[in-house]
Amino acid sequence: METKNKWLMAIAGMTLQLCIGSIYAYSVWIKPIQTLNGWDAHQLKTAFSLAICFLGLTAAFMGKFVQKIGPVKSGLLAALLFCTGLAGAGFANSIGSLPLFFLFYGVIAGIGLGFGYITPVSVVVKWFPDKPGLASGLVIMSFAAGSILAAQLITPLTLHFGVPVTFYLLAAAYAIFMVPASLYLAAPKQVLAVQDDHSGGADVPLKTIIGDVRYYALFLMLFLNTTCGIALIAVAAPMAKAVLHMSEVAAIAFVSMIGLFNGLGRLFWSSISDKIGRWNTFMTFYVVGAICFLVIAQTPGTMVFQIMVFLIISCYGGAFATMPAFIKDIYGADKVGPVFGYVLLAWSAAAFVGPWLISRTSNYQMIFYVFAAILAFTGVLLVLLKGKLKPGPSL
């Protein structure tokens, strides 16, 4: 008889992801921080890139450590690092130190993001053995949903209290929610019993992964799709003002809607993939994305532009939620954790490449054509790799 409720466990996991998902509202921070310290917008994007980079690195290389210390300690470590990073970012802004801001927001908070991202997913899925897609979809969707809440809080708080104090307030608020959520996390008793018998899970050394062509195929698929999506997320607010001439309030609403479609896309596309298959789902991402980028490159009306962006972002989020199932189909359920961790290195790389590409020019139209070409190329690549993306010899 389980002593904990699986739905409360899901809520605990979703709470952790909701808090750390505020990273996706980063573009809303850019103007207040610029106004305070005069830092260049392109420089400020580096903090976001660093945070996502260290999220991916932590997910890839700290999975074994997370398994060793258990979900409670891992969740608390996520809360400590993430909230310390936010508080430190506030201090960096108060003294006008950009390198210190990179350190706290990009590195320390980024590592906290990594622990907070992988811990609840690995725990909650075990409580829903009959519906792992639903469980992972709910948790991963919450990460995207966190940006909706944060986007609505950041601007009014900075207007009333200033940038440093807003960072302090958010750090304290997230800690209040993340600590009790972490304390509730636990694997089901039957899973613990299996682990005690040393028969649960599977560790896959990095040298084994890098010798498998299927890994490179999955890495490229996620990397190229993420590069295009994360570039839009990084500049969502300033892009809305520059291209659509939106007001500050409308731009914030636009960022919130991006967060909504990021989250809904994760749940929707992962569910669709159960019906049409993972390969067909990823091909849909690239076809839809390429068409949408071609449309927005023509600078259509505000409504059409926003709808196209929302579709692109839904595919961006959907790739993250569908990838674990794709890995499961190819490698088997026991290899999902370690392989997915290494595949997430694509997220780390894309976190720099996407924002860097879009910051190289003030001509958004040109970069939209580039992204359309990238996604079209990825679709061709997926066709060529189809024969490789099948279940094969175990690692």
Side-chain angles (χ1 to χ4, degrees):
M1 190 74 176
E2 299 292 347
T3 58
K4 295 189 176 183
N5 183 277
K6 68 178 184 179
W7 291 107
L8 289 178
M9 192 64 63
I11 290 173
M14 291 169 68
T15 299
L16 275 177
Q17 293 268 333
L18 189 71
C19 292
I20 65 173
S22 59
I23 187 71
Y24 272 168
Y26 179 74
S27 64
V28 180
W29 280 112
I30 293 177
K31 183 179 178 181
I33 293 176
Q34 268 191 302
T35 302
L36 175 65
N37 289 307
W39 297 333
D40 183 73
H42 297 320
Q43 290 179 307
L44 287 173
K45 293 186 186 76
T46 302
F48 175 75
S49 296
L50 282 170
I52 299 298
C53 175
F54 278 91
L55 187 164
L57 290 173
T58 303
F61 297 110
M62 299 302 289
K64 198 170 184 179
F65 176 72
V66 167
Q67 187 177 16
K68 180 180 179 180
I69 66 175
V72 172
K73 291 181 180 179
S74 181
L76 291 174
L77 187 59
L80 174 64
L81 291 170
F82 181 66
C83 296
T84 298
L86 290 183
F91 175 70
N93 272 274
S94 70
I95 64 173
S97 174
L98 184 60
L100 202 60
F101 179 62
F102 289 160
L103 172 64
F104 277 106
Y105 193 92
V107 180
I108 297 175
I111 296 173
L113 284 170
F115 282 110
Y117 190 85
I118 61 177
T119 300
V121 174
S122 62
V123 171
V124 175
V125 168
K126 295 171 184 175
W127 285 83
F128 293 83
D130 55 333
K131 296 179 180 179
L134 172 65
S136 61
L138 285 172
V139 175
I140 294 176
M141 178 183 70
S142 299
F143 183 83
S147 65
I148 302 174
L149 178 62
Q152 298 300 316
L153 292 174
I154 292 170
T155 297
L157 286 175
T158 53
L159 288 174
H160 284 85
F161 301 105
V163 171
V165 174
T166 298
F167 271 116
Y168 302 149
L169 290 174
L170 289 178
Y174 290 142
I176 289 172
F177 286 97
M178 292 179 73
V179 170
S182 299
L183 292 173
Y184 193 80
L185 293 177
K189 288 185 177 179
Q190 64 267 29
V191 173
L192 291 173
V194 170
Q195 291 175 345
D196 288 341
D197 290 338
H198 304 289
S199 57
D203 182 38
V204 182
L206 179 59
K207 64 179 181 181
T208 302
I209 287 285
I210 62 177
D212 186 7
V213 68
R214 295 172 295 178
Y215 167 72
Y216 293 103
L218 295 171
F219 181 96
L220 280 173
M221 287 163 54
L222 187 63
F223 169 71
L224 294 172
N225 188 69
T226 302
T227 294
C228 301
I230 206 165
L232 292 184
I233 291 173
V235 299
M239 179 183 69
K241 298 171 189 174
V243 177
L244 303 177
H245 308 293
M246 283 186 174
S247 65
E248 185 72 26
V249 173
I252 292 171
F254 179 59
V255 172
S256 297
M257 289 299 292
I258 283 178
L260 176 63
F261 277 87
N262 190 352
L264 292 177
R266 293 169 188 240
L267 195 57
F268 173 78
W269 289 113
S270 61
S271 301
I272 290 295
S273 72
D274 289 332
K275 297 179 172 60
I276 69 173
R278 320 303 175 196
W279 189 91
N280 289 330
T281 302
F282 269 85
M283 180 57 74
T284 302
F285 295 155
Y286 307 135
V287 172
V288 170
I291 292 173
C292 289
F293 271 116
L294 285 175
V295 171
I296 64 175
Q298 302 302 313
T299 318
T302 300
M303 183 60 69
V304 174
F305 187 97
Q306 291 184 76
I307 291 173
M308 294 298 103
V309 170
F310 297 152
L311 284 173
I312 292 169
I313 295 301
S314 79
C315 294
Y316 164 85
F320 284 103
T322 306
M323 183 57 75
F326 209 158
I327 293 171
K328 176 180 177 294
D329 292 347
I330 296 173
Y331 292 104
D334 63 326
K335 304 294 195 305
V336 171
V339 175
F340 186 47
Y342 292 129
V343 170
L344 283 180
L345 288 172
W347 197 3
S348 296
F352 281 99
V353 176
W356 178 82
L357 281 174
I358 206 166
S359 66
R360 291 305 89 191
T361 177
S362 58
N363 186 349
Y364 285 112
Q365 183 182 41
M366 184 178 71
I367 202 67
F368 292 155
Y369 281 124
V370 172
F371 288 153
I374 289 175
L375 291 175
F377 166 77
T378 311
V380 174
L381 183 67
L382 185 57
V383 172
L384 297 175
L385 294 172
K386 187 175 182 180
K388 300 291 184 181
L389 296 172
K390 294 181 178 179
S394 180
L395 291 172

